């Protein structure tokens, strides 16, 4: 999970043990979940970029028409 605070993106996770300045860390990424999140995130930006009124219909029907035309 991440949050934006003061213009910084903060990634929130679990740390085992304690940290001090100068420590090194290892991280792990769930690649299949990360890929799914990236596609959704990119699609959201594309939909937000569409000018209002440039899509057919509104609600779920309009959304379906917009997403079909955005084949990623």
């Amino acid at each position: 999970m991440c949050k934006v605070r003061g213009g910084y993106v903060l990634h929130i996770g679990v740390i085992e043990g304690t940290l001090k300045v100068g420590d090194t860390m290892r991280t792990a990424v769930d690649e299949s979940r990360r890929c799914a999140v990236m596609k959704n995130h990119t699609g959201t930006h594309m939909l937000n970029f569409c000018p209002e009124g440039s899509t057919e219909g509104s609600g779920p029907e309009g959304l379906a028409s917009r997403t079909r035309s955005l084949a990623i």
Side-chain angles (χ1 to χ4, degrees):
M1 174 171 55
C2 66
K3 295 182 179 184
V4 177
R5 295 278 193 257
Y8 293 95
V9 177
L10 307 175
H11 294 273
I12 300 166
V14 177
I15 297 175
E16 296 176 9
T18 58
L19 290 176
K20 61 186 179 297
V21 174
D23 282 351
T24 59
M25 297 177 60
R26 281 190 196 182
T27 60
V29 176
D30 180 337
E31 192 172 339
S32 61
R33 181 180 181 283
R34 178 69 183 119
C35 286
V37 169
M38 284 190 323
K39 289 176 184 175
N40 182 59
H41 183 85
T42 301
T44 300
H45 281 293
M46 293 170 76
L47 288 172
N48 288 335
F49 185 74
C50 293
E52 194 170 328
S54 67
T55 56
E56 300 169 14
S58 59
E61 299 79 18
L63 179 60
S65 128
R66 290 192 302 267
T67 54
R68 276 194 298 276
S69 67
L70 293 174
I72 297 174

